[in-house]
Amino acid sequence: MAGSSIGTLFRVTTWGESHGAGIGAVVDGCPAGLPLCEEDIQKFLDRRKPGSSQFTTQRKESDCVKILSGVFEAKTTGTPISLMIPNTSQISKDYSNIMDSYRPGHADYGFDSKYGFRDYRGGGRSSGRETAGRVAAGAIAIKLLENFGITFLTYVDQVGPVKIDESRFSVDEITKNALNMPDSVAAKEAEAYLAEKMSEKDSSGASITCKIQGCPVGLGEPVFDKMDAKLAQAIVSIGAVKAIEIGDGKSVVSATGTSNNDAFHMEDGQVRTLTNHAGGILGGMTNGEEILLHIAVKPTPSIFQEQKTVNRQHEDVTMTIAGRHDPIIAPRACVVVEAMSALMIADALMQNAVSRLDNLQKVYGLLDR
Amino acid sequence: MAGSSIGTLFRVTTWGESHGAGIGAVVDGCPAGLPLCEEDIQKFLDRRKPGSSQFTTQRKESDCVKILSGVFEAKTTGTPISLMIPNTSQISKDYSNIMDSYRPGHADYGFDSKYGFRDYRGGGRSSGRETAGRVAAGAIAIKLLENFGITFLTYVDQVGPVKIDESRFSVDEITKNALNMPDSVAAKEAEAYLAEKMSEKDSSGASITCKIQGCPVGLGEPVFDKMDAKLAQAIVSIGAVKAIEIGDGKSVVSATGTSNNDAFHMEDGQVRTLTNHAGGILGGMTNGEEILLHIAVKPTPSIFQEQKTVNRQHEDVTMTIAGRHDPIIAPRACVVVEAMSALMIADALMQNAVSRLDNLQKVYGLLDR
Amino acid sequence: MAGSSIGTLFRVTTWGESHGAGIGAVVDGCPAGLPLCEEDIQKFLDRRKPGSSQFTTQRKESDCVKILSGVFEAKTTGTPISLMIPNTSQISKDYSNIMDSYRPGHADYGFDSKYGFRDYRGGGRSSGRETAGRVAAGAIAIKLLENFGITFLTYVDQVGPVKIDESRFSVDEITKNALNMPDSVAAKEAEAYLAEKMSEKDSSGASITCKIQGCPVGLGEPVFDKMDAKLAQAIVSIGAVKAIEIGDGKSVVSATGTSNNDAFHMEDGQVRTLTNHAGGILGGMTNGEEILLHIAVKPTPSIFQEQKTVNRQHEDVTMTIAGRHDPIIAPRACVVVEAMSALMIADALMQNAVSRLDNLQKVYGLLDR
Amino acid sequence: MAGSSIGTLFRVTTWGESHGAGIGAVVDGCPAGLPLCEEDIQKFLDRRKPGSSQFTTQRKESDCVKILSGVFEAKTTGTPISLMIPNTSQISKDYSNIMDSYRPGHADYGFDSKYGFRDYRGGGRSSGRETAGRVAAGAIAIKLLENFGITFLTYVDQVGPVKIDESRFSVDEITKNALNMPDSVAAKEAEAYLAEKMSEKDSSGASITCKIQGCPVGLGEPVFDKMDAKLAQAIVSIGAVKAIEIGDGKSVVSATGTSNNDAFHMEDGQVRTLTNHAGGILGGMTNGEEILLHIAVKPTPSIFQEQKTVNRQHEDVTMTIAGRHDPIIAPRACVVVEAMSALMIADALMQNAVSRLDNLQKVYGLLDR
């Protein structure tokens, strides 16, 4: 499992399973001098934490982050920042029934095939808990990006058939409902829909919007590490994500060049576009407009109905999953999407800083600005 | 522009601009002993080449690949395989009008902002020609994967409003029409639609399906380098791609766990799923089913109408693009999607080979099989 | 500080400072199925631990390692193995006098210049304690390599002017004296020499030999990642190492081709060399002979005499270092050299496993062996 | 053979064999805006080229470099710079006798074992010609570093038993003799020694000094990517290098802290050291003093005497090498050492530029300086 690290200069490595000692992340390459304390990270973990609503798992992790290294006198030192979130609420017996059988929609079968066996407790490394490390690391990226005026807004825009109505859009509303929807009316409808699904021992898919504002022009490396390509990797690497769209996304299929091109024009001395079909990225580089992402999240695969599957002995069996599972993944995934996006933007910001000789000369004091 | 390389073990670095000496790729890490000749690569480049139809650029590159290293006595030696496709048809005057103005929908503005200036001839590094290097490298990956029974099928499934009808699906048809559609009726309708757009000096978006069959179970590293995450990076890194979906993709938003889970069952002694909503990937690892990707490709931004934009001096101007441009990107992009997918699968296949101690022991002859 | 990770497939990331919460390492990519418990790691940390001799720091860390993830039912799962060694013996006041002044021979000045400030407690990230993470990670590599018959022997061959006499060489002796020398007579002389240096508030340099036996032929990638090149990086990355020699090392300067070439011949059905001037590596690849490394380790820079230096305000000052410091670095560094070597060999072993098509086919069961 | 790339931000990938189409390198990540033409590179290749002296191979390659991409209007564009040096002087028959037998001191046996077969013509990828790509890429790094006042001086300081006398040291002399020695008297003695060895069909080892001046303080990442560790990898990755020393190198073994520490003091407002035992690097970071490296280069293994060896069929045989081979490697390797050092310094310079928040802010214009 090489592949537990992401990023070139702002580089994160995560570790940990659902039922081990904890979940952790090491952030290597965060610039020195960034003010940072545990509370800066904790507030993002709190957004990921199961709340008190009926739509979130009854597993209650305190999800309390510790900074183990890399910060001295409340500032990052440039050395690796080690973060740990101890597991405190493991109930191993909850998971005993999945030891032998492969849960549909889960990674169980893949793990056994790939590695010969698996830590079956709570999904092991494939548990949603793995994302706690991402969120902790991403919180540092977000703190870094604040210094450059780069901000994030992430919310659920659709739950099952219920979509938000842009005319009722309210940023404030996002944190006021259990589903992180920016439309109180839609949120209520979605809650009713979800309650129905839960009563049917079923779950629901949903869709997330992530908007990133304030990026300087030119972030992203123009070939394989395009800004949108790295965002795509980072976001699709979140379990349950099945589609990502940039800007107009899928609807470009039926668009024409005339309708899809964003005309440039000057606005307050800035190069801007009149529209933003591209979602802030052209040729893999940011163009200064809002980055706009839409993400499709599948329904929670852990449903409480009896399901057909096979066991480790490769026999047909049925299984019924017990335990603690959200009936919807997207609301808690919003902060994970934000974190992963921030990691990619921070890395691109650092890489872009050395793309020109004159920038390098500025850093080394060889150029008057 | 770090970011011209992709892959961990099967690693490709591309170089070249539209109007330089040529386009190239270096493949480092291809296993030794693979039979390989230029024709193995040329046939994929020929699929990318503008054909004789009205829907492709009138630029006629011979796109003739040379293997410069890494092959001896018709087999790969394990050393880097250097590939070069000389540029032969540059007409620099074609592009003189875009030297100063930023083409809407293109990377021009980003390049100038990021690097301080740009090679404005034909889009430079951002030209579609850059993908020739990807295709050449991908052809080697495809050749490698054939040894493992892994095959690819890629086609256009929608052009503007015209979708294929699955009941008329024919693999043979794909290569028989200029649009790479597997449905002759839809292809004709799409051609008519495109002809109309061309007459309006406009262009069209389209959608590509890529199906990958024969993958062993367990490809993909379960966290940041999930199989679908790496496919997402690789495919979104192709210019003009604005969305990628895995399996049911965007439609999971309105799905439920009951409808979306793929039940496992035994079939001819194999673990299989009854449905394939997941598109062959669970928890970031292949599950043995067909990998199913849908890719949205934006309309060609180079349209021949007058467009508003700004110039390098940051003044509002209008510009009219001349030159040679396809009115649709997707048909020629099919082979690029296939190539990029193959690169990621080949890399995952190699990484997965060392995921278990017993596999390593097999290689070193320490385990009876 | 990107640069806290090393290895491509067997990849280690370390974190931690002398006086933070602890020292840690994350091993990503260790093959699944390797039996592993904390004791396997602890025994190597115990070799690094200051002993009870007069030649080691009086700081007494228990250096107790915890495995936080990646092991289930006493075997590695293929997921990242997180290791932590809590700091327990920090006495911050010890280090207060080095807060403002730059210790000669230390990284203090570099840290302040690079990062703008530094964690001055005990050397921070530059402390010798950082190597505990390397040793912990290396212990896993050593455990892995045992399965392939690869073993390590590391010892001090010279302390100041005192060299071992090969005629008295005894493996058993190495662990019987405080200096890890394989010659009891030399060890006694060296101890006397060291005692004298200590009485003079001085310290001594020393030399380490590392022998690696049992490597299969062909480890190492033939250009930039040559086996010896990666060993050189890994070992020179240990603080205080100022030279590394492979095989005959520096003495090749006055050698001739006739004296330096190792003739191949057949021995018990194996290709062997009659001599081993090359130290087991030819053209960057192992040739099946013993890998032989010699490493020069500088004297402990923390001496207790008054020294000239400058302070953070860039004024000439004098300083006297107090605290707990070994008068010689090499004996405790032996296990670090061994650990770093093992990490590189393990990584090369894994990379080499996918260097041939037929090896890949073996793994995927497509080839009879 | 992953491992044909080196560098994180200033990243070089080389390709090519002795008897293929040519030798090449792709430099990805070179900052945009650097003036660059083929002559900037050619002059370094000319230093590597066999000269007219009796001590160099009679193979006469023109070694003419072509820039295939990444440069526009005489400046780097930020896109990958592809360099190619066509092979023009291959005489395949020269090498027919080494097809079956393993040359002692060469990589032949390793290649066959690792990859199953090898390109036996002229050493293939292991040929000294491979270093032409390194030199071409390094020339760009050297050009970049000139902008920061960083310069290199590389020469041969010992040939067999003949050492230079520092009292006769003359920079100008280096280019005046065939052996690149800065002491005309020693050069003459060494030439006589070499002529003797040649008459005996033998070859000689030698030693290279590389001095790097003008580095800013703080280059190098303090753990695994220490400046000296990366230099060690880069230089040991040059075929025939068997030892590298930093600063006092091996002689630290018999030094004491008192003699080895470099006292800091103020000099013309700069922090300097009174001595430079450390060779310009402390704790893996540059300290502003001259970087001092000594490199031991083995004798040419291709000697013209009959040698014992084994063949591919694993039989004992004797072989006599014919062909064109320098009797000493070091003189032509000087420029390779310089190139590899420059690549590492350039990469470190770029990485270090983003090590602090305030540097990043400077680049993005957020900090008045």
Side-chain angles (χ1 to χ4, degrees):
Chain A
M1 196 185 290
S4 294
S5 299
I6 196 165
T8 297
L9 289 177
F10 194 100
R11 186 164 178 85
V12 175
T13 302
T14 70
W15 56 268
E17 288 90 32
S18 176
H19 283 64
I23 296 289
V26 180
V27 178
D28 196 24
C30 182
L34 179 73
L36 187 73
C37 65
E38 287 170 353
E39 179 50 29
D40 291 324
I41 299 167
Q42 191 61 50
K43 65 183 179 191
F44 286 90
L45 285 170
D46 290 348
R47 279 175 56 191
R48 201 201 72 94
K49 232 167 34 177
S52 55
S53 92
Q54 60 180 316
F55 307 123
T56 56
T57 172
Q58 296 310 301
R59 173 169 175 170
K60 296 295 176 213
E61 286 287 357
S62 57
D63 270 1
C64 220
V65 71
K66 292 289 161 206
I67 298 177
L68 301 178
S69 70
V71 174
F72 181 61
E73 295 181 345
K75 283 189 297 184
T76 57
T77 59
T79 64
I81 304 168
S82 177
L83 305 169
M84 181 172 175
I85 303 147
N87 287 336
T88 56
S89 172
Q90 310 98 307
I91 311 179
S92 287
K93 68 181 157 123
D94 282 356
Y95 297 99
S96 52
N97 66 323
I98 61 170
M99 178 174 149
D100 259 336
S101 295
Y102 298 137
R103 292 168 299 165
H106 278 280
D108 301 349
Y109 172 51
F111 264 96
D112 263 15
S113 302
K114 187 181 188 74
Y115 299 111
F117 77 121
R118 74 185 196 280
D119 180 350
Y120 48 75
R121 301 166 305 166
R125 181 75 173 143
S126 267
S127 164
R129 269 196 73 65
E130 177 262 326
T131 61
R134 301 176 181 228
V135 170
I140 300 176
I142 290 169
K143 188 85 195 282
L144 174 65
L145 294 175
E146 277 172 14
N147 287 278
F148 299 86
I150 300 171
T151 57
F152 297 80
L153 183 67
T154 319
Y155 54 85
V156 171
D157 60 67
Q158 183 175 348
V159 171
V162 185
K163 300 183 191 185
I164 60 165
D165 180 330
E166 290 290 337
S167 72
R168 290 188 300 253
F169 189 97
S170 160
V171 170
D172 295 342
E173 182 59 30
I174 297 171
T175 53
K176 288 186 183 153
N177 63 75
L179 300 176
N180 286 344
M181 296 180 89
D183 166 355
S184 61
V185 177
K188 281 216 167 50
E189 283 176 47
E191 286 174 15
Y193 174 76
L194 260 190
E196 186 192 323
K197 291 297 130 192
M198 287 180 75
S199 73
E200 296 163 8
K201 300 186 176 177
D202 210 341
S203 61
S204 176
S207 175
I208 292 173
T209 294
C210 178
K211 296 174 175 174
I212 308 169
Q213 292 184 312
C215 285
V217 183
L219 301 192
E221 304 300 304
V223 182
F224 299 121
D225 290 354
K226 285 186 164 77
M227 193 71 256
D228 38 359
K230 293 305 294 182
L231 287 166
Q233 179 195 351
I235 287 170
V236 175
S237 82
I238 304 169
V241 170
K242 298 303 283 184
I244 181 165
E245 302 177 288
I246 299 101
D248 281 4
K250 221 180 149 169
S251 69
V252 299
V253 173
S254 48
T256 66
T258 310
S259 68
N260 191 250
N261 280 355
D262 301 306
F264 289 108
H265 74 128
M266 296 305 300
E267 196 176 314
D268 300 331
Q270 302 287 315
V271 177
R272 300 293 306 273
T273 60
L274 285 167
T275 51
N276 187 19
H277 299 294
I281 301 174
L282 277 178
M285 293 172 282
T286 53
N287 66 359
E289 302 301 316
E290 182 178 77
I291 296 178
L292 186 58
L293 307 171
H294 288 103
I295 298 117
V297 184
K298 75 175 184 181
T300 314
S302 289
I303 51 175
F304 302 120
Q305 300 174 30
E306 189 181 78
Q307 296 183 84
K308 290 184 184 171
T309 190
V310 302
N311 62 16
R312 294 199 69 187
Q313 292 71 43
H314 287 191
E315 299 160 332
D316 286 308
V317 296
T318 61
M319 76 183 300
T320 304
I321 296 170
R324 308 166 294 189
H325 304 285
D326 296 356
I328 182 169
I329 293 170
R332 292 178 63 197
C334 283
V335 70
V336 186
V337 165
E338 198 165 311
M340 292 308 298
S341 300
L343 290 175
M344 294 300 97
I345 302 283
D347 195 39
L349 188 89
M350 291 177 72
Q351 286 191 65
N352 182 58
V354 292
S355 58
R356 292 164 63 157
L357 178 58
D358 57 1
N359 282 347
L360 263 185
Q361 289 170 320
K362 260 185 229 170
V363 167
Y364 287 103
L366 299 174
L367 210 68
D368 289 354
R369 289 184 48 240
Chain B
M1 196 185 291
S4 294
S5 298
I6 196 164
T8 297
L9 289 178
F10 194 99
R11 187 164 178 84
V12 175
T13 302
T14 70
W15 56 268
E17 288 90 32
S18 175
H19 283 64
I23 296 289
V26 181
V27 178
D28 196 24
C30 180
L34 179 71
L36 187 73
C37 65
E38 288 171 353
E39 179 50 30
D40 291 325
I41 300 168
Q42 191 61 50
K43 66 184 179 191
F44 286 90
L45 285 170
D46 290 348
R47 280 176 55 192
R48 201 201 72 94
K49 232 168 32 176
S52 55
S53 92
Q54 58 180 319
F55 306 124
T56 55
T57 171
Q58 296 311 300
R59 173 170 176 170
K60 296 295 176 214
E61 287 286 359
S62 57
D63 270 3
C64 219
V65 72
K66 292 287 161 206
I67 298 177
L68 302 177
S69 68
V71 174
F72 181 60
E73 296 181 343
K75 284 189 296 181
T76 58
T77 59
T79 64
I81 305 168
S82 177
L83 304 169
M84 181 171 176
I85 303 147
N87 286 335
T88 56
S89 171
Q90 310 99 307
I91 311 179
S92 287
K93 67 182 157 118
D94 281 356
Y95 297 99
S96 53
N97 67 321
I98 62 172
M99 177 175 150
D100 259 337
S101 295
Y102 299 137
R103 290 168 300 165
H106 278 279
D108 301 348
Y109 172 51
F111 263 95
D112 263 14
S113 300
K114 187 180 189 75
Y115 298 110
F117 75 122
R118 74 185 195 282
D119 180 350
Y120 48 76
R121 300 166 305 166
R125 181 76 172 142
S126 268
S127 164
R129 270 196 73 65
E130 177 263 324
T131 60
R134 303 175 181 230
V135 170
I140 301 175
I142 291 168
K143 188 88 195 278
L144 175 64
L145 294 174
E146 276 172 15
N147 288 278
F148 300 87
I150 301 172
T151 57
F152 296 81
L153 182 67
T154 319
Y155 54 84
V156 171
D157 61 65
Q158 183 174 347
V159 171
V162 185
K163 300 183 192 186
I164 60 165
D165 181 330
E166 292 290 337
S167 71
R168 290 189 299 253
F169 189 97
S170 159
V171 170
D172 295 341
E173 182 59 31
I174 296 172
T175 52
K176 288 188 182 151
N177 63 77
L179 300 177
N180 286 345
M181 297 181 88
D183 166 355
S184 60
V185 177
K188 281 216 166 48
E189 282 176 48
E191 286 174 15
Y193 174 76
L194 260 190
E196 185 193 323
K197 288 300 131 191
M198 286 180 77
S199 72
E200 296 164 8
K201 299 185 176 178
D202 210 342
S203 61
S204 176
S207 176
I208 291 171
T209 295
C210 179
K211 296 174 175 173
I212 309 168
Q213 292 184 311
C215 285
V217 183
L219 301 192
E221 303 301 302
V223 182
F224 299 122
D225 290 353
K226 285 185 163 78
M227 193 70 257
D228 38 358
K230 292 306 293 181
L231 287 167
Q233 179 195 350
I235 287 170
V236 175
S237 82
I238 304 169
V241 170
K242 299 303 284 184
I244 182 166
E245 302 178 287
I246 300 102
D248 281 4
K250 220 180 150 169
S251 69
V252 299
V253 174
S254 48
T256 66
T258 311
S259 68
N260 191 249
N261 281 355
D262 300 307
F264 289 108
H265 76 129
M266 295 307 298
E267 196 176 313
D268 300 331
Q270 301 288 315
V271 177
R272 300 293 306 272
T273 60
L274 286 166
T275 50
N276 187 18
H277 300 293
I281 302 174
L282 276 178
M285 292 172 284
T286 53
N287 66 358
E289 303 300 318
E290 182 179 76
I291 297 179
L292 186 58
L293 307 171
H294 288 104
I295 297 117
V297 184
K298 74 175 184 182
T300 313
S302 289
I303 50 175
F304 302 121
Q305 300 173 30
E306 188 182 79
Q307 295 184 84
K308 289 185 185 173
T309 190
V310 302
N311 62 17
R312 295 199 69 188
Q313 292 70 44
H314 287 192
E315 299 159 335
D316 287 309
V317 294
T318 59
M319 75 184 300
T320 304
I321 295 170
R324 308 165 294 188
H325 303 286
D326 296 357
I328 183 169
I329 293 170
R332 293 178 63 197
C334 283
V335 70
V336 186
V337 165
E338 199 165 310
M340 293 307 300
S341 300
L343 291 174
M344 294 299 97
I345 302 283
D347 195 40
L349 188 90
M350 291 177 71
Q351 288 190 63
N352 181 58
V354 292
S355 58
R356 294 164 62 156
L357 178 57
D358 55 2
N359 283 346
L360 263 185
Q361 289 169 319
K362 258 183 235 171
V363 167
Y364 288 102
L366 300 173
L367 211 67
D368 289 354
R369 289 193 42 244
Chain C
M1 196 185 292
S4 294
S5 300
I6 196 164
T8 297
L9 288 177
F10 194 99
R11 186 165 178 83
V12 174
T13 302
T14 70
W15 57 267
E17 289 90 31
S18 176
H19 283 64
I23 296 289
V26 181
V27 178
D28 196 26
C30 181
L34 180 72
L36 187 73
C37 65
E38 287 169 353
E39 179 50 29
D40 291 324
I41 300 168
Q42 190 62 50
K43 66 184 180 192
F44 286 90
L45 285 170
D46 290 349
R47 280 175 56 191
R48 202 201 71 93
K49 235 169 29 177
S52 55
S53 92
Q54 58 180 320
F55 306 124
T56 55
T57 170
Q58 297 310 300
R59 173 171 175 168
K60 296 295 178 216
E61 286 287 358
S62 57
D63 270 1
C64 220
V65 70
K66 292 288 163 205
I67 298 177
L68 302 177
S69 68
V71 175
F72 181 61
E73 295 180 345
K75 284 189 297 183
T76 57
T77 59
T79 65
I81 305 169
S82 177
L83 304 169
M84 182 172 175
I85 303 146
N87 287 335
T88 57
S89 170
Q90 311 98 309
I91 311 178
S92 287
K93 68 182 156 118
D94 281 356
Y95 296 99
S96 53
N97 67 323
I98 61 168
M99 176 174 150
D100 259 336
S101 296
Y102 299 135
R103 291 169 299 165
H106 278 280
D108 302 349
Y109 171 51
F111 264 96
D112 263 14
S113 301
K114 187 179 188 74
Y115 298 111
F117 76 121
R118 74 184 195 280
D119 180 349
Y120 48 77
R121 301 166 305 165
R125 181 75 173 142
S126 268
S127 164
R129 270 196 72 65
E130 178 263 326
T131 61
R134 301 175 182 230
V135 171
I140 300 175
I142 290 168
K143 188 85 194 280
L144 174 65
L145 294 175
E146 278 171 14
N147 287 278
F148 299 86
I150 301 171
T151 58
F152 297 80
L153 182 69
T154 320
Y155 54 84
V156 171
D157 59 68
Q158 183 174 348
V159 171
V162 185
K163 299 182 192 187
I164 61 167
D165 181 330
E166 291 289 338
S167 71
R168 290 190 299 255
F169 189 96
S170 159
V171 170
D172 294 342
E173 181 59 31
I174 296 171
T175 52
K176 288 187 182 151
N177 62 77
L179 300 176
N180 286 346
M181 296 180 89
D183 166 355
S184 61
V185 177
K188 280 212 168 50
E189 283 176 47
E191 285 174 15
Y193 174 76
L194 260 191
E196 185 192 323
K197 290 299 130 191
M198 286 181 76
S199 73
E200 296 164 8
K201 299 186 177 177
D202 211 340
S203 60
S204 177
S207 175
I208 292 172
T209 294
C210 179
K211 295 174 175 173
I212 309 168
Q213 293 184 312
C215 285
V217 182
L219 301 192
E221 304 300 304
V223 183
F224 299 122
D225 290 354
K226 284 186 164 77
M227 193 71 256
D228 39 359
K230 293 306 293 182
L231 287 166
Q233 179 195 351
I235 286 170
V236 175
S237 82
I238 303 170
V241 170
K242 299 303 284 185
I244 181 164
E245 302 177 288
I246 299 100
D248 281 4
K250 221 180 148 168
S251 69
V252 298
V253 173
S254 48
T256 66
T258 310
S259 69
N260 191 248
N261 279 355
D262 301 307
F264 290 108
H265 74 130
M266 296 306 300
E267 196 176 314
D268 301 332
Q270 301 287 316
V271 177
R272 300 292 307 272
T273 61
L274 285 166
T275 50
N276 187 18
H277 300 293
I281 302 175
L282 276 178
M285 292 172 284
T286 53
N287 66 358
E289 301 301 316
E290 182 178 77
I291 297 179
L292 185 59
L293 307 171
H294 289 103
I295 298 117
V297 184
K298 75 176 184 181
T300 313
S302 289
I303 51 176
F304 302 120
Q305 300 175 30
E306 188 181 79
Q307 296 183 85
K308 289 185 185 170
T309 191
V310 302
N311 62 16
R312 295 199 67 188
Q313 292 72 44
H314 288 191
E315 298 159 335
D316 287 308
V317 295
T318 61
M319 76 183 299
T320 306
I321 296 170
R324 311 164 294 189
H325 303 285
D326 297 357
I328 184 169
I329 293 170
R332 293 178 63 198
C334 283
V335 70
V336 186
V337 165
E338 197 166 312
M340 293 307 299
S341 300
L343 291 174
M344 294 300 96
I345 302 283
D347 195 39
L349 187 89
M350 291 177 72
Q351 287 190 65
N352 181 57
V354 292
S355 59
R356 291 164 64 156
L357 178 59
D358 57 1
N359 283 346
L360 263 185
Q361 288 169 319
K362 259 185 231 169
V363 167
Y364 288 103
L366 300 173
L367 211 68
D368 289 354
R369 292 185 47 240
Chain D
M1 195 185 292
S4 293
S5 299
I6 196 164
T8 297
L9 289 177
F10 194 99
R11 187 164 179 84
V12 174
T13 302
T14 70
W15 57 268
E17 288 91 31
S18 177
H19 283 64
I23 296 289
V26 181
V27 178
D28 196 26
C30 180
L34 179 72
L36 187 72
C37 64
E38 287 170 353
E39 178 50 30
D40 291 325
I41 299 168
Q42 191 61 50
K43 66 184 179 191
F44 286 91
L45 284 170
D46 289 348
R47 281 176 55 193
R48 201 200 74 92
K49 235 170 27 178
S52 54
S53 91
Q54 59 181 318
F55 307 123
T56 55
T57 171
Q58 297 311 300
R59 173 169 175 171
K60 295 297 177 214
E61 286 287 358
S62 57
D63 270 2
C64 218
V65 72
K66 292 288 162 205
I67 298 178
L68 302 177
S69 68
V71 174
F72 182 60
E73 295 180 345
K75 285 189 296 182
T76 58
T77 59
T79 64
I81 304 168
S82 177
L83 305 168
M84 181 171 176
I85 303 147
N87 286 336
T88 56
S89 171
Q90 311 98 308
I91 311 179
S92 286
K93 67 182 157 116
D94 280 356
Y95 296 100
S96 53
N97 67 322
I98 61 170
M99 179 174 148
D100 258 338
S101 295
Y102 299 136
R103 291 169 298 166
H106 278 280
D108 302 348
Y109 172 52
F111 264 95
D112 262 14
S113 301
K114 188 181 188 74
Y115 299 110
F117 76 122
R118 73 186 195 281
D119 179 349
Y120 47 76
R121 301 167 304 166
R125 182 74 173 143
S126 268
S127 164
R129 269 196 73 65
E130 178 263 326
T131 60
R134 301 176 181 228
V135 170
I140 301 176
I142 290 168
K143 186 87 194 280
L144 174 65
L145 294 174
E146 277 172 15
N147 288 278
F148 299 87
I150 301 171
T151 57
F152 297 79
L153 183 67
T154 320
Y155 53 85
V156 171
D157 61 66
Q158 184 175 347
V159 172
V162 184
K163 299 183 193 187
I164 61 166
D165 181 330
E166 291 289 338
S167 71
R168 290 190 299 252
F169 188 98
S170 159
V171 170
D172 295 342
E173 182 59 31
I174 297 171
T175 52
K176 290 188 182 151
N177 62 77
L179 300 176
N180 286 344
M181 297 182 88
D183 167 354
S184 61
V185 176
K188 282 213 167 48
E189 283 176 48
E191 287 174 15
Y193 174 76
L194 261 190
E196 184 192 323
K197 289 299 129 192
M198 287 180 76
S199 72
E200 296 164 8
K201 298 185 178 177
D202 210 340
S203 61
S204 176
S207 174
I208 292 172
T209 295
C210 178
K211 296 174 175 172
I212 308 168
Q213 292 184 312
C215 286
V217 183
L219 302 192
E221 304 301 302
V223 182
F224 299 121
D225 290 354
K226 284 186 165 77
M227 193 71 257
D228 39 359
K230 292 306 292 181
L231 288 166
Q233 180 195 349
I235 287 169
V236 176
S237 82
I238 303 169
V241 170
K242 299 305 283 185
I244 181 166
E245 302 178 287
I246 299 101
D248 281 5
K250 221 181 149 170
S251 70
V252 299
V253 173
S254 49
T256 67
T258 309
S259 69
N260 190 249
N261 280 355
D262 301 307
F264 289 108
H265 75 128
M266 296 306 300
E267 197 176 314
D268 301 332
Q270 301 287 317
V271 177
R272 301 293 306 273
T273 60
L274 286 166
T275 50
N276 187 19
H277 300 293
I281 301 174
L282 277 177
M285 291 172 285
T286 53
N287 67 358
E289 302 301 317
E290 183 178 76
I291 297 178
L292 187 58
L293 307 171
H294 289 103
I295 298 115
V297 184
K298 75 175 184 182
T300 313
S302 289
I303 50 176
F304 301 120
Q305 300 175 30
E306 189 181 79
Q307 295 183 85
K308 288 185 186 172
T309 190
V310 302
N311 61 17
R312 296 200 67 190
Q313 292 71 44
H314 287 193
E315 300 159 333
D316 286 308
V317 295
T318 60
M319 75 184 299
T320 304
I321 296 171
R324 309 165 294 188
H325 304 285
D326 297 355
I328 183 169
I329 294 170
R332 292 179 63 198
C334 284
V335 70
V336 187
V337 164
E338 198 165 312
M340 292 309 298
S341 301
L343 291 175
M344 295 299 97
I345 302 283
D347 196 39
L349 188 90
M350 290 177 73
Q351 287 190 65
N352 181 58
V354 291
S355 59
R356 293 165 62 156
L357 178 57
D358 56 1
N359 282 347
L360 263 186
Q361 289 170 319
K362 257 184 236 172
V363 168
Y364 287 103
L366 299 173
L367 211 68
D368 289 353
R369 280 265 328 203

